[in-house]
Amino acid sequence: MKILAVILLFLLSVLTATSKSLTAYFETYPEENIGIDSVFLTEGDILADMRRNAVRDIHATWLNRTVPYIIEDTYDHSQRMEIKLAMTEFEEKTCIRFVPRSDETDYIIIRSEMGCFSPVGRRGGQQLVSIGPGCDRKGTIMHELMHALGFWHEHSRPDRDSYITIAWDNIPEDHKSNFRKYTEEDIDTLGAPYDYGSIMHYKNNTFANDRFKPTIKSKFPLPDGVEMGQRIELSDTDILKVNRLYRCNITHCPDAGVPKIGYRKGDNFQVASAVHYNCSADYVLVGSRARYCMDIGQWTGNLPVCLPSYKGGKLHYCNFDRNNSCGWKQDKLDNQDWTFNNRDTPSVQTGPKEDRTMGTQEGYYIFLESSRPCEEGDAARLISPSFDFSGTKACLVFYYSMYGSTMGQLNVYQRVSGKNMKKFSQSGDQGQDWHMTAVVLDEYSSFEIVIEAIAGTSYKSDMAVDDVIVGSCDILSSLVNGDIQDTMSCGFNNGLCGWTQAKDDVFDWELMSGSTSTFNTGPNCDPSDCIKGQYLYTEASAPRVQGDTAIIQSPMLRGGSERCLAFSYHMFGDSMGTIKVYLSEFGSNKELLWTRSGDHGTDWIREQLDFVPKSLYQLVFEGSRGSSYRSDMAIDNVDVTVGNCAGAS
């Protein structure tokens, strides 16, 4: 028994010594995290996230300069004090504030994993900052919190080769990537000088094969008192960079404004403060009920407006904030569901960056998550409550985002007695911005709206919708006028550009490349690009008969002054029909602008028209089939510019 006891004591002493050795090792080289393979780390202590880097992206800094946190209970009193001291130094020397998390969506959780590491910048939701054994000293904790705030290592700056030399021959092959140099597109140095004494700088023998030789050599003598790789305190340059990244010189936002026929609660315009809005009785607030003063000196979102809810039927508005669907319901017969979100979607290079209403994580929107298990062609449909706008023309206004290289299709239907009538359709990549559209609805005593997203060919097909309004057209016209574009240009080479097929005609305009299928009618190819270009045409072969119409209408455009419409048309065929162009002002009847009939030869013809829309409007092209199949007509390159056509040319 005595021998066994001696052996046990020996083993215990070895384990204790090993533990102390590991702790001392991590304290000396906290970024190395040697032997840790449970997480994917880059540069030793950065929890990798390949979506984007922080300091080049305002969306990856912490909102209102505030970092909500949770410290797990596994730390003893001394360790918790070190964490608090690290946070206190930031709060004393910068405008950053660390606050215990209540219900914030984005926050850090400080947990004792094996090693010390953190992601760079705000990544969304809960994110881990590991302060493990040997990492629980104030300086090392500040190093990891600097990563969480949005900073990479100092030695990875784009200009580092002017200040240091990397001794590649003393770095193990599998650690050479930790000494990569980033480009100016990756890292913003914030105009600060290279800082040998930064708390973010490696020690001069980090990841060394031979600890007695450097892996980083300074090209200049270090300033007096400066130690490369110190983990004692924030350097003056560290403090400067934090304050610049978080714009600590900005303290206030401008006056938050008051909506007409409404009122505001709150007169504090300091950064991180909030104001709240309400409308008078019988008015609906369109926009956000709360706005926050951001650290860029601007309020979130736009000043909301108050619109009457009593005229011609109750105005219905939904911005989906705080996961509120406002009475809209998921269709149980589709393949996928619309999903609530309040930041960029999980997949890279697709979806919007943030909510449309607020422009920050405080607001929400709905989107189709097109990653697996979603497949090409899967549909998600959202169905509105039932509306009744008897006695007035109703309109639909909404914002959409369709960013992604394999973007699918977004459709909007007016549903009457269970029958869907398509009122809007858009497909293809439309960029990352939010786009507004307005649709004039058909007059029915009762109807619903259906918003349908159809997935594209891959995960890069996240489309989103926000700020949906249904109301009388005369009320909504003043609201949307400022958000509608003045001009338009479409060559139809990438789809319909937001043009929609009418549902009260007989057949549709079709996209075509090359010649039409019928001999001695229609163009041979696109007027601008004969090889790859597309145009719109009407196919006059059976089952079409004389007088059948195909009608297509443009997106909504802003009026108020003279406009020039330019377009190309092609009318070749010995039984050619008629093309008409109408002006359709928001909620009003159509006005004929131009018409042509008969055979106009084999060439494309360019036409220009002056017109003066008084308010929001759409352009409508109507093709009417002639007496036989030799009546294929085409249009292309439709452009609208401000001013008259003489000035435009």
Side-chain angles (χ1 to χ4, degrees):
M1 291 296 293
K2 288 183 178 180
I3 296 175
L4 180 60
V6 170
I7 293 173
L8 289 173
L9 286 172
F10 173 75
L11 290 174
L12 181 61
S13 65
V14 170
L15 289 172
T16 302
T18 302
S19 176
K20 290 180 178 179
S21 174
L22 283 172
T23 299
Y25 167 80
F26 278 117
E27 287 176 352
T28 306
Y29 302 99
E31 296 88 7
E32 292 194 355
N33 289 315
I34 297 296
I36 295 176
D37 55 9
S38 59
V39 291
F40 179 42
L41 301 176
T42 183
E43 295 186 33
D45 71 329
I46 296 174
L47 191 59
D49 184 335
M50 303 311 293
R51 292 182 300 167
R52 61 186 182 216
N53 70 80
V55 292
R56 274 294 183 193
D57 189 346
I58 190 174
H59 296 278
T61 54
W62 291 88
L63 296 174
N64 302 324
R65 305 166 181 157
T66 301
V67 184
Y69 69 87
I70 294 174
I71 303 175
E72 290 210 333
D73 294 336
T74 53
Y75 294 105
D76 61 29
H77 176 73
S78 176
Q79 292 169 321
R80 296 179 74 87
M81 285 300 299
E82 289 291 313
I83 295 171
K84 292 293 183 66
L85 286 172
M87 293 178 174
T88 298
E89 180 157 337
F90 280 101
E91 294 181 338
E92 289 177 346
K93 297 180 178 179
T94 74
C95 61
I96 297 296
R97 296 295 175 263
F98 292 89
V99 298
R101 188 225 177 193
S102 54
D103 60 352
E104 291 86 357
T105 303
D106 297 347
Y107 62 97
I108 62 173
I109 181 165
I110 301 176
R111 178 187 300 150
S112 181
E113 299 279 340
M114 180 56 72
C116 36
F117 51 84
S118 169
V120 173
R122 177 173 63 91
R123 293 303 179 186
Q126 175 183 291
Q127 63 187 65
L128 172 65
V129 175
S130 175
I131 305 298
C135 305
D136 51 0
R137 299 292 181 90
K138 173 189 167 187
T140 301
I141 297 166
M142 285 194 296
H143 178 96
E144 300 307 333
L145 292 178
M146 281 285 283
H147 281 317
L149 288 173
F151 293 91
W152 297 81
H153 291 126
E154 188 73 359
H155 77 275
S156 62
R157 284 171 51 134
D159 59 350
R160 63 101 179 273
D161 290 339
S162 298
Y163 301 94
I164 60 172
T165 299
I166 305 299
W168 297 105
D169 57 350
N170 193 32
I171 301 171
E173 193 64 34
D174 57 346
H175 289 302
K176 287 184 177 180
S177 62
N178 296 327
F179 292 82
R180 64 179 288 193
K181 179 177 68 173
Y182 290 96
T183 68
E184 292 182 356
E185 294 181 355
D186 298 319
I187 288 182
D188 185 356
T189 62
L190 299 164
Y194 192 88
D195 185 13
Y196 297 106
S198 170
I199 205 165
M200 302 307 291
H201 207 298
Y202 272 5
K203 288 183 177 296
N204 69 346
N205 61 347
T206 301
F207 289 112
N209 279 317
D210 183 349
R211 292 292 191 193
F212 294 100
K213 296 179 180 179
T215 53
I216 300 176
K217 301 175 184 177
S218 171
K219 291 188 174 182
F220 304 97
L222 296 185
D224 290 341
V226 170
E227 176 190 352
M228 190 184 296
Q230 63 88 13
R231 297 293 180 266
I232 305 299
E233 61 183 354
L234 297 173
S235 70
D236 290 343
T237 303
D238 289 333
I239 296 167
L240 171 71
K241 289 198 292 187
V242 172
N243 285 331
R244 282 184 177 174
L245 179 61
Y246 283 86
R247 299 161 292 277
C248 294
N249 60 309
I250 298 175
T251 60
H252 289 75
C253 286
D255 192 297
V258 180
K260 293 181 180 179
I261 323 176
Y263 54 93
R264 183 189 74 219
K265 293 182 179 179
D267 294 312
N268 183 358
F269 301 159
Q270 290 181 308
V271 167
S273 62
V275 294
H276 296 81
Y277 299 95
N278 278 294
C279 293
S280 301
D282 296 324
Y283 283 79
V284 173
L285 187 136
V286 175
S288 177
R289 292 194 174 276
R291 298 173 77 198
Y292 301 85
C293 179
M294 297 184 291
D295 56 14
I296 57 175
Q298 298 176 11
W299 293 97
T300 56
N302 296 316
L303 179 67
V305 298
C306 296
L307 297 180
S309 64
Y310 53 83
K311 185 174 181 180
K314 185 174 176 62
L315 184 142
H316 182 91
Y317 169 65
C318 189
N319 59 22
F320 304 105
D321 285 352
R322 296 302 171 193
N323 295 332
N324 183 0
S325 61
C326 314
W328 291 68
K329 297 179 180 179
Q330 304 279 359
D331 187 349
K332 296 180 180 179
L333 300 179
D334 55 11
N335 312 99
Q336 303 292 332
D337 281 345
W338 287 90
T339 304
F340 288 99
N341 199 32
N342 64 339
R343 54 174 60 82
D344 58 342
T345 61
S347 303
V348 67
Q349 295 181 335
T350 189
K353 269 195 170 184
E354 74 282 316
D355 163 70
R356 206 301 294 187
T357 317
M358 298 283 286
T360 70
Q361 72 175 41
E362 277 88 359
Y364 283 74
Y365 59 89
I366 56 171
F367 83 107
L368 170 68
E369 173 51 74
S370 58
S371 302
R372 290 187 181 277
C374 184
E375 298 180 353
E376 180 182 0
D378 278 1
R381 287 184 289 271
L382 201 67
I383 305 171
S384 76
S386 181
F387 300 116
D388 179 2
F389 283 87
S390 301
T392 185
K393 189 170 282 293
C395 285
L396 164 70
V397 175
F398 66 95
Y399 289 81
Y400 67 90
S401 172
M402 298 179 70
Y403 170 55
S405 59
T406 59
M407 182 53 58
Q409 188 172 40
L410 178 66
N411 300 313
V412 176
Y413 303 92
Q414 185 176 10
R415 176 176 289 183
V416 180
S417 300
K419 181 182 178 181
N420 288 341
M421 299 177 291
K422 187 180 288 185
K423 303 302 296 182
F424 171 85
S425 184
Q426 182 65 281
S427 60
D429 186 358
Q430 304 299 315
Q432 200 166 18
D433 292 336
W434 286 98
H435 305 277
M436 200 217 74
T437 192
V439 177
V440 179
L441 301 170
D442 296 325
E443 292 187 49
Y444 289 96
S445 59
S446 179
F447 63 87
E448 299 166 318
I449 301 298
V450 180
I451 301 176
E452 176 185 63
I454 300 177
T457 56
S458 83
Y459 69 90
K460 293 183 178 180
S461 181
D462 293 349
M463 63 192 79
V465 168
D466 201 4
D467 291 303
V468 182
I469 317 170
V470 180
S472 62
C473 296
D474 57 344
I475 290 175
L476 295 186
S477 61
S478 60
L479 171 69
V480 302
N481 193 57
D483 284 338
I484 292 288
Q485 59 190 25
D486 292 299
T487 62
M488 174 189 64
S489 180
C490 185
F492 303 108
N493 293 327
N494 296 307
L496 294 180
C497 312
W499 288 67
T500 53
Q501 307 279 3
K503 291 305 170 185
D504 54 356
D505 55 4
V506 180
F507 66 116
D508 287 342
W509 290 84
E510 299 179 32
L511 286 169
M512 174 58 70
S513 178
S515 63
T516 62
S517 59
T518 308
F519 183 65
N520 271 345
T521 188
N524 289 324
C525 61
D526 180 272
S528 303
D529 184 350
C530 202
I531 297 175
K532 297 180 180 179
Q534 293 188 130
Y535 56 89
L536 282 178
Y537 90 109
T538 61
E539 176 53 68
S541 300
R544 304 281 72 82
V545 298
Q546 185 172 2
D548 281 357
T549 57
I551 301 173
I552 193 166
Q553 55 196 20
S554 74
M556 196 71 67
L557 297 170
R558 181 167 56 214
S561 63
E562 198 168 23
R563 298 289 188 268
C564 174
L565 165 64
F567 63 96
S568 299
Y569 70 94
H570 193 284
M571 299 179 72
F572 168 55
D574 58 16
S575 59
M576 182 55 57
T578 301
I579 298 180
K580 295 180 179 179
V581 179
Y582 293 93
L583 170 66
S584 178
E585 297 206 45
F586 199 60
S588 301
N589 294 326
K590 295 187 297 185
E591 172 191 345
L592 181 64
L593 293 179
W594 177 92
T595 183
R596 289 289 184 276
S597 299
D599 186 352
H600 286 263
T602 58
D603 294 331
W604 284 91
I605 302 172
R606 191 70 175 167
E607 186 68 56
Q608 290 186 327
L609 302 174
D610 289 319
F611 66 105
V612 185
K614 299 181 182 65
S615 61
L616 299 175
Y617 70 94
Q618 293 173 284
L619 294 168
V620 180
F621 281 76
E622 177 187 274
S624 180
R625 197 254 199 188
S627 60
S628 83
Y629 63 88
R630 289 181 178 171
S631 180
D632 292 351
M633 61 191 72
I635 59 173
D636 200 6
N637 299 328
V638 183
D639 301 305
V640 176
T641 54
V642 176
N644 59 42
C645 294
S649 60

